[in-house]
Amino acid sequence: MKKLSLFFIGLLLIPSLFLTSCDRGDDLIDSEATPAFTLMKDYLVSNNLDINNILAGPGDAIKFVVGEPAETDLNAFLSKYYIIDIRSSASYGDGHIQGAKNVAFTDILTEAPKAESKPILVVCYTGQTACYATALLRLYGYSNTQALKWGMSGWNSATAGPWNSNIGSPAAGNSNWSYSTAPPNLVFSDPIITSFSTDGSQILKERVEQVVADGFKTVSGGDVLASPNNYFVNNYFGEADYNAFGHITNAYRIKETLLLSTNGYQSLDPSSNAKIATYCYTGQTSAVLTAYLRVLGYDAYSITFGMNGLYNSNNAWVSNKWSASVSKNLPLVN
């Protein structure tokens, strides 16, 4: 009788042992699986989608922004591009570029196929959101996409309000504006992203779609200047400009090395409590970088209006400085 009881107990234990064995096996497989980030990173590098190629254009060196045309070149300009205007319907109705399609930012990925063989030009108020959209469209497969530099503010003085009203110099005389040398860059681990897919291209697609759905992530220069310790600040200037123009206190300078192929991206902090705030001169390059970094899994933000919003009156620089004279008077339709 005792032997029979032990026999039945053994039968009852077999399923639990089997399940335990399976659980351990799954854990082992999961622990040895290639991280989703690595799969996506390898795909990006092998398909010429590293950060420098998104900024300059894969293969054909098409820069991510294009300036407004001369009036004599207007017709050729208009016929060349499939123009997507991502401003509000009210602003679009007040005046837009001839032929431009009014599309919500969240719909850019479904609108892009309608361009067919035409290059895509994305237009917004200042060029910043358009640059964010351009980076995401390029990562999604629309490599021949550009943003209109300065946005509608540069197209016509009647639509220049967003730039005219947002330049400033809160950094002048501010204790958190420094002229010290850049701190040495640190080395961090990779960001962690999740996906059920093991295909790098599919993971990238998922990430881009999520970043589009989340919208443009920004922070004002004044907020970062007031509390720089709340951010991981990345100054995207050349070394000479970093020292000559000054910079937010303790801002890292991660530019030339910011690549996947050389692991330079590991100079950025991927932790969930590290808000990476990048700034450039106009907020347009930093918008591209921010979109890219968010796809990689960083909690990244673009400092709006860049140096123009931080220290427009700084006499050490001229290039990419906004003034009302930047606006052209190209035609608007409504």
Side-chain angles (χ1 to χ4, degrees):
M1 185 71 179
K2 186 174 182 180
K3 288 182 180 180
L4 189 60
S5 298
L6 289 173
F7 173 76
F8 282 113
I9 291 171
L11 287 176
L12 291 171
L13 287 173
I14 288 173
S16 63
L17 288 171
F18 176 76
L19 290 172
T20 303
S21 175
C22 288
D23 287 343
R24 288 178 180 170
D26 287 346
D27 289 343
L28 183 61
I29 292 170
D30 288 343
S31 66
E32 292 180 349
T34 303
F37 175 86
T38 303
L39 293 169
M40 182 177 70
K41 171 191 168 182
D42 291 346
Y43 176 82
L44 287 164
V45 173
S46 63
N47 286 274
N48 296 318
L49 292 171
D50 208 341
I51 298 171
N52 59 329
N53 290 324
I54 297 302
L55 286 166
D60 50 12
I62 297 173
K63 195 174 181 182
F64 67 94
V65 292
V66 62
E68 301 84 1
E71 271 197 80
T72 53
D73 299 327
L74 180 61
N75 289 336
F77 185 90
L78 295 177
S79 63
K80 176 181 178 180
Y81 291 102
Y82 185 86
I83 305 173
I84 299 175
D85 186 330
I86 57 174
R87 297 177 301 154
S88 71
S89 57
S91 295
Y92 175 86
D94 287 340
H96 58 268
I97 299 172
Q98 180 181 332
K101 313 295 182 185
N102 191 211
V103 179
F105 173 84
T106 51
D107 293 333
I108 57 173
L109 300 180
T110 54
E111 183 68 23
K114 299 176 185 177
E116 297 179 343
S117 60
K118 274 192 169 186
I120 296 171
L121 180 68
V122 187
V123 178
C124 67
Y125 298 97
T126 65
Q128 295 174 89
T129 310
C131 283
Y132 195 78
T134 293
L136 295 168
L137 284 167
R138 286 186 168 199
L139 285 169
Y140 208 66
Y142 299 97
S143 59
N144 203 355
T145 299
Q146 292 178 285
L148 182 66
K149 187 173 182 179
W150 305 116
M152 290 301 292
S153 293
W155 187 266
N156 191 292
S157 58
T159 50
W163 259 110
N164 289 338
S165 60
N166 280 288
I167 60 173
S169 297
N174 192 295
S175 60
N176 285 329
W177 191 256
S178 172
Y179 292 87
S180 62
T181 57
N185 291 337
L186 307 174
V187 178
F188 297 93
S189 59
D190 287 349
I192 297 174
I193 59 176
T194 58
S195 175
F196 289 113
S197 177
T198 57
D199 181 274
S201 63
Q202 179 60 31
I203 296 168
L204 174 61
K205 182 175 182 288
E206 293 170 1
R207 292 296 307 160
V208 172
E209 290 170 356
Q210 184 59 60
V211 174
V212 169
D214 290 342
F216 189 14
K217 298 296 182 180
T218 65
V219 63
S220 75
D223 287 347
V224 179
L225 194 63
S227 304
N229 292 333
N230 290 344
Y231 302 88
F232 184 103
V233 183
N234 178 30
N235 171 294
Y236 201 73
F237 291 174
E239 185 175 8
D241 289 350
Y242 181 95
N243 295 322
F245 299 175
H247 49 269
I248 296 172
T249 297
N250 295 327
Y252 293 93
R253 195 188 74 79
I254 309 168
K255 182 178 181 181
E256 296 84 0
T257 60
L258 188 53
L259 296 170
L260 296 176
S261 57
T262 60
N263 293 332
Y265 67 93
Q266 290 182 328
S267 294
L268 299 168
D269 188 350
S271 59
S272 58
N273 60 346
K275 292 185 175 183
I276 297 173
T278 301
Y279 71 101
C280 60
Y281 304 103
T282 66
Q284 295 173 108
T285 304
S286 62
V288 172
L289 293 170
T290 297
Y292 197 101
L293 294 178
R294 293 196 76 86
V295 168
L296 294 183
Y298 290 98
D299 188 20
Y301 300 82
S302 180
I303 297 182
T304 51
F305 301 96
M307 182 72 169
N308 279 287
L310 284 164
Y311 206 159
N312 179 264
S313 65
N314 191 312
N315 292 323
W317 71 298
V318 176
S319 179
N320 286 314
K321 180 180 283 194
W322 175 267
S323 68
S325 63
V326 173
S327 293
K328 295 187 177 181
N329 280 298
L330 294 167
L332 298 168
V333 297
N334 48 32

